[in-house]
């Protein structure tokens, strides 16, 4: 009776208290989050409205044939007496567009033959330098499309600090008739930055980012000058459109709210977390203290009534708590009523079994991790890298050709993909892209002596596979199959679904493999031979089997003098297993 009384009162009190506190905490934080997000969206609408007004004005000017013809006439009649009247007429036309704002600093008309005309203020810009910039070429190719640049990008173009917004548009009118190649607008950024400062009442930081991640504006001077590259805590906000999350920044928790406007700009606000949860924490502590106080009184009263039963239960509870922390060597001395005695015995047996099973799992995971570490640590073959760099050096010495740029870019992307990206998994699309970079290097190194043919089922593009499964096989085909071939070779890559599995086939028409060597290719006694990735066929085979099971792996068929066919059997993974593990661990925690 005492045990039933204890369980029926204590557990419900704990559960109700926990549920009430968590529910209240969730509701209050949810309301605060929604309120903060709505405020940020209102700020984004205000910011967008100002930017949209700029874009509309710029677009209207670019489509005003009188302005275009007048500016062209100024350039055509340079040095003549009539130019003064033309300048006066153009200034009047532009004043009609900018009567609503004093933020415009200058409007620069760039002509096809390197000339220019400045409205209001000449910015002393190097026209040839501007024309060499990426944004200039892109704007010139996309006629009548307004490009708006924030403080960070504008400073790069103007070279005059961080106080300007700029916009560029290439008029739709033919340069054969009007000779106007580009119109460049310079606006003061003070109004934008004042809007950001006005929204900083809670001492938070706010960032306005363009669709490419560049800083349009920010109330953080360092961010405007150097970008947000070092602010890793903003990564989640850059990947999604709307939402919020909590991050630890320099030892302090901060609340990060973000949204995306109609212009495609990202608005991110970072607020100290304590300011949002002070009220919630106060209520939370009050409820906890009240609940703990009531529970302590109840336990003191019930302790005397159920002492003889509670002690064995407490002993079992302590043992379970130690087990929960990972101490599987905990053992109890079974005592008390028959039911408690049986529980104590079962608890000891459970710990023994768990310790044995965890030991087995650790051994398997250790083997798996050792193989992954060995595979990833030996991704660079110094001989291959040295030969490749020597090839680049030789090409640069003989002829300053584009091959140097292409090979260096391919090598850089390949090294970046293999060394800098964390995790064991990648998508099929990314693996094929990496394969293309590798093939470009190999063709530059050994000569364009072979063709590669792809036939990949589009359904596999977003499927997840282990990194660097295809490249070692492709390398084997090139070095041992096609390199010694006297005629032009071919490599065929197929990828298709087969039920719930993915099947990849890499086949070449090269020299083939001697029949006596085929059985040893996947043997555990095969000697390790370093390559660019450091992964032999055996290594790839073992990685597949350790990660997916004995049902998967490689199959090799070869006819000497005709070619080799390697088939990979993998499970079809629609989600990243590493992300699923993180989600499971967070739910468990």
């Amino acid at each position: 009776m005492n045990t039933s009384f204890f369980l029926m009162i204590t557990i419900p009190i704990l559960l109700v208290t926990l549920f009430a506190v968590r529910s209240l905490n969730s509701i209050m934080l949810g309301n605060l989050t929604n309120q903060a997000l709505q405020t940020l969206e209102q700020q984004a609408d205000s910011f967008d409205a100002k930017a949209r007004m700029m874009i509309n004005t710029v677009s209207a000017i670019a489509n005003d044939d009188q302005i275009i013809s007048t500016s062209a006439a100024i350039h055509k009649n340079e040095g003549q007496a009539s130019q003064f009247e033309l300048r006066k007429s153009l200034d009047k036309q532009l004043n009609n567009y900018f009567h609503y704002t004093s933020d415009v600093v200058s409007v620069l008309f760039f002509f096809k033959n390197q000339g220019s005309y400045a409205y209001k203020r000449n910015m002393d810009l190097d026209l040839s330098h501007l024309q060499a910039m990426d944004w200039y070429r892109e704007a010139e190719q996309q006629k009548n499309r307004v490009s708006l640049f924030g403080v960070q990008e504008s400073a790069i173009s103007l070279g005059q600090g961080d106080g300007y917004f700029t916009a560029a548009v290439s008029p739709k009118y033919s340069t054969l008739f009007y000779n106007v190649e580009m119109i460049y607008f310079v606006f003061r950024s003070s109004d934008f930055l004042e809007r950001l400062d006005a929204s900083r009442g809670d001492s938070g930081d706010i960032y306005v980012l363009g669709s490419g991640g560049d800083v349009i504006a920010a109330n953080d001077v360092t961010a405007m000058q150097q970008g947000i590259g070092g602010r890793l805590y903003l990564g989640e906000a850059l990947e999604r459109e709307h939402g919020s999350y909590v991050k630890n920044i320099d030892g302090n928790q901060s609340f990060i709210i973000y949204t995306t406007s109609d212009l495609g700009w990202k608005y991110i606000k970072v607020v100290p977390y304590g300011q949002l949860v002070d009220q919630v924490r106060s209520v939370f502590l009050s409820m906890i203290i009240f609940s703990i106080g009531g529970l302590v009184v109840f336990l003191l009263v019930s302790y005397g009534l159920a002492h003889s039963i509670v002690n064995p239960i407490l002993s079992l509870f302590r043992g379970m708590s130690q087990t929960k922390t990972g101490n599987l060597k905990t053992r109890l001395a079974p005592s008390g009523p028959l039911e408690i005695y049986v529980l104590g015995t079962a608890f000891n047996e459970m710990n023994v079994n768990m310790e044995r099973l965890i030991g087995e799992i650790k051994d398997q995971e250790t083997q798996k991790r050792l193989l992954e570490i060995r595979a990833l640590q030996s991704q660079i073959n110094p001989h291959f890298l040295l030969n490749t760099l020597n090839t680049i050096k030789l090409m640069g010495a003989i002829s300053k050709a584009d091959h140097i740029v292409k090979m260096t870019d391919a090598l850089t992307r390949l090294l970046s993909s293999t060394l800098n990206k964390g995790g064991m998994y990648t998508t099929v699309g990314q693996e094929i892209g990496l394969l293309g970079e590798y093939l470009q290097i190999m063709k530059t190194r050994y000569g364009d002596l072979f063709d590669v043919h792809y036939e990949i089922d589009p359904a596999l593009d977003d499927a997840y596979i282990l990194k660097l499964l295809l490249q070692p096989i492709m390398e084997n085909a090139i070095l041992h199959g096609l390199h010694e071939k006297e005629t032009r070779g071919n490599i065929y890559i197929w990828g298709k679904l087969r039920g719930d599995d993915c099947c990849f086939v890499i086949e070449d028409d090269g020299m083939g493999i001697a029949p006596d060597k085929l059985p040893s290719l996947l043997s555990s006694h095969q000697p390790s031979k370093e390559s660019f990735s450091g992964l032999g066929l055996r290594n790839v085979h073992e990685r597949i089997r350790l990660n997916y099971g004995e049902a998967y792996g490689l199959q090799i068929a070869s006819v000497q003098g005709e070619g080799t066919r390697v088939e990979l059997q993998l499970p079809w993974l629609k989600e990243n297993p590493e992300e699923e593990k993180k989600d499971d661990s967070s739910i468990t925690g």
Side-chain angles (χ1 to χ4, degrees):
M1 181 183 66
N2 290 335
T3 303
S4 301
F5 178 75
F6 178 80
L7 294 176
M8 291 172 62
I9 299 299
T10 305
I11 293 180
I13 289 177
L14 290 174
L15 292 177
V16 169
T17 302
L18 180 62
F19 177 77
V21 170
R22 290 177 66 88
S23 298
L24 180 62
N25 184 62
S26 177
I27 291 172
M28 295 186 69
L29 281 179
N31 290 337
L32 290 173
T33 300
N34 291 333
Q35 182 179 359
L37 187 59
Q38 289 176 1
T39 302
L40 184 62
E41 289 176 346
Q42 292 173 359
Q43 295 167 355
D45 290 341
S46 173
F47 208 90
D48 271 14
K50 178 69 175 180
R52 196 176 286 107
M53 185 178 297
M54 280 186 179
I55 293 174
N56 291 339
T57 301
V58 170
S59 179
I61 291 175
N63 285 279
D64 191 327
D65 55 351
Q66 292 184 355
I67 289 180
I68 301 300
S69 60
T70 303
S71 61
I74 290 175
H75 181 256
K76 183 177 181 181
N77 296 290
E78 185 174 0
Q80 299 182 15
S82 61
Q83 191 182 52
F84 175 78
E85 292 299 326
L86 291 173
R87 288 175 178 267
K88 184 177 179 181
S89 174
L90 180 59
D91 289 351
K92 182 178 180 180
Q93 294 172 24
L94 291 173
N95 286 334
N96 291 334
Y97 280 100
F98 295 114
H99 64 85
Y100 67 90
T101 179
S102 61
D103 288 342
V104 62
V105 176
S106 179
V107 180
L108 303 172
F109 292 82
F110 298 143
F111 302 103
K112 187 176 181 181
N113 59 354
Q114 301 298 318
S116 66
Y117 170 74
Y119 162 74
K120 275 198 171 184
R121 172 180 165 188
N122 192 340
M123 303 298 292
D124 295 326
L125 300 179
D126 185 350
L127 179 57
S128 62
H129 176 67
L130 288 179
Q131 288 176 327
M133 290 186 172
D134 293 338
W135 65 262
Y136 192 100
R137 294 194 297 268
E138 292 175 2
E140 186 179 5
Q141 293 174 0
Q142 300 177 354
K143 295 291 185 181
N144 219 36
R145 182 180 181 276
V146 178
S147 299
L148 186 62
F149 308 107
V151 174
Q152 186 182 16
E153 282 191 273
S154 299
I156 296 175
S157 299
L158 297 176
Q160 301 181 19
D162 55 0
Y164 300 104
F165 269 73
T166 59
V169 60
S170 179
K172 64 181 179 180
Y173 302 99
S174 173
T175 55
L176 294 176
F177 298 99
Y178 294 105
N179 210 29
V180 179
E181 184 177 77
M182 185 73 64
I183 308 178
Y184 192 55
F185 299 80
V186 182
F187 300 93
R188 293 185 183 90
S189 62
S190 55
D191 186 38
F192 283 99
L193 298 180
E194 286 173 2
R195 291 170 188 258
L196 295 184
D197 290 334
S199 66
R200 198 180 179 181
D202 50 8
S203 302
D205 293 327
I206 185 169
Y207 306 92
V208 182
L209 307 180
S211 57
D214 52 298
V215 179
I216 298 294
N219 53 14
D220 183 345
V221 177
T222 303
M224 286 199 302
Q225 293 175 347
Q226 302 176 5
I228 60 170
R231 294 166 174 78
L232 301 180
Y233 53 85
L234 300 179
E236 184 175 341
L238 296 175
E239 295 174 357
R240 303 178 182 177
E241 291 190 357
H242 308 277
S244 61
Y245 57 94
V246 177
K247 277 286 185 181
N248 191 298
I249 304 175
D250 297 331
N252 299 314
Q253 283 191 318
S254 296
F255 193 61
I256 300 175
I257 316 157
Y258 57 95
T259 186
T260 305
S261 69
D262 295 337
L263 287 178
W265 290 358
K266 182 81 67 176
Y267 292 82
I268 306 174
K269 195 168 188 177
V270 181
V271 182
Y273 188 67
Q275 297 182 10
L276 295 177
V277 298
D278 283 345
Q279 183 179 2
V280 178
R281 186 181 293 112
S282 176
V283 176
F284 178 83
L285 291 176
S286 298
M287 293 189 67
I288 289 294
I289 293 173
F290 176 79
S291 301
I292 292 177
L295 186 59
V296 168
V297 172
F298 170 76
L299 290 176
L300 290 175
V301 174
S302 63
Y303 180 79
L305 300 175
H307 184 272
S308 61
I309 299 177
V310 168
N311 280 343
I313 294 177
L314 289 177
S315 178
L316 182 60
F317 174 76
R318 294 189 189 99
M320 290 182 176
S321 298
Q322 293 179 9
T323 301
K324 183 179 179 181
T325 62
N327 184 9
L328 298 179
K329 296 186 179 298
T330 302
R331 300 293 184 268
L332 300 178
S335 61
L338 178 61
E339 293 83 357
I340 304 300
Y341 183 88
V342 172
L343 284 176
T345 303
F347 174 79
N348 290 337
E349 294 176 352
M350 179 189 69
N351 274 356
V352 171
N353 292 332
M354 288 178 61
E355 190 173 9
R356 176 179 56 81
L357 292 174
I358 290 177
E360 294 176 356
I361 293 174
K362 284 184 177 179
D363 289 342
Q364 293 177 0
E365 287 296 323
T366 300
Q367 293 179 8
K368 179 178 176 180
R369 285 296 173 187
L370 286 176
L371 185 59
E372 288 296 336
I373 292 173
R374 186 176 62 190
L376 295 177
Q377 285 181 339
S378 58
Q379 286 176 352
I380 299 181
N381 182 327
H383 297 292
F384 175 84
L385 184 56
L386 181 59
N387 290 337
T388 302
L389 294 177
N390 284 336
T391 302
I392 296 174
K393 180 179 179 180
L394 181 60
M395 291 167 58
I398 296 175
S399 61
K400 298 179 181 179
D402 291 339
H403 297 81
I404 296 175
V405 177
K406 293 180 180 178
M407 188 171 185
T408 304
D409 287 345
L411 180 57
T412 301
R413 290 191 291 269
L414 186 57
L415 290 175
S416 175
S417 176
T418 55
L419 297 178
N420 296 332
K421 293 185 178 179
M424 294 166 50
Y425 287 85
T426 186
T427 63
V428 172
Q430 291 171 341
E431 181 78 357
I432 296 299
L434 179 62
L435 204 59
E437 305 294 348
Y438 172 75
L439 287 172
Q440 183 175 337
I441 293 175
M442 295 301 284
K443 284 191 174 184
T444 305
R445 180 179 175 185
Y446 293 108
D448 189 8
L449 302 177
F450 58 89
D451 297 314
V452 181
H453 310 275
Y454 295 92
E455 188 174 335
I456 307 297
D457 190 339
L460 293 177
D461 284 348
D462 296 325
Y464 283 88
I465 62 173
L466 289 169
K467 284 184 176 180
L468 295 174
L469 289 184
L470 303 181
Q471 184 267 332
I473 302 172
M474 177 67 73
E475 182 176 13
N476 189 73
I478 295 172
L479 296 182
H480 303 295
L482 301 178
H483 183 52
E484 301 296 334
K485 188 177 179 181
E486 296 181 355
T487 59
R488 190 173 187 82
N490 293 279
I491 299 178
Y492 301 89
I493 304 176
W494 292 282
K496 58 185 177 181
L497 289 174
R498 183 182 291 170
D500 292 332
D501 294 339
C502 302
C503 179
F504 293 93
V505 176
I506 298 180
E507 184 174 350
D508 65 77
D509 58 0
M511 304 300 294
I513 303 172
D516 59 330
K517 294 183 179 180
L518 274 176
S520 65
L521 288 179
L522 301 182
S523 170
S524 59
H525 301 292
Q526 179 190 8
S528 173
K529 185 176 182 181
E530 292 295 329
S531 63
F532 177 73
S533 66
L535 303 176
L537 295 179
R538 169 64 185 175
N539 207 336
V540 174
H541 183 62
E542 281 301 312
R543 291 179 67 209
I544 294 174
R545 289 163 67 90
L546 280 173
N547 282 276
Y548 304 135
E550 299 292 330
Y552 301 98
L554 300 184
Q555 292 184 359
I556 304 175
S558 181
V559 178
Q560 194 167 12
E562 295 184 9
T564 303
R565 174 188 176 95
V566 180
E567 181 174 333
L568 291 83
Q569 190 76 10
L570 306 171
W572 183 19
L573 302 179
K574 300 179 183 178
E575 303 291 339
N576 190 336
E578 292 176 314
E579 293 298 329
E580 293 177 358
K581 289 181 181 179
K582 290 181 182 178
D583 294 341
D584 291 342
S585 63
S586 63
I587 293 173
T588 303

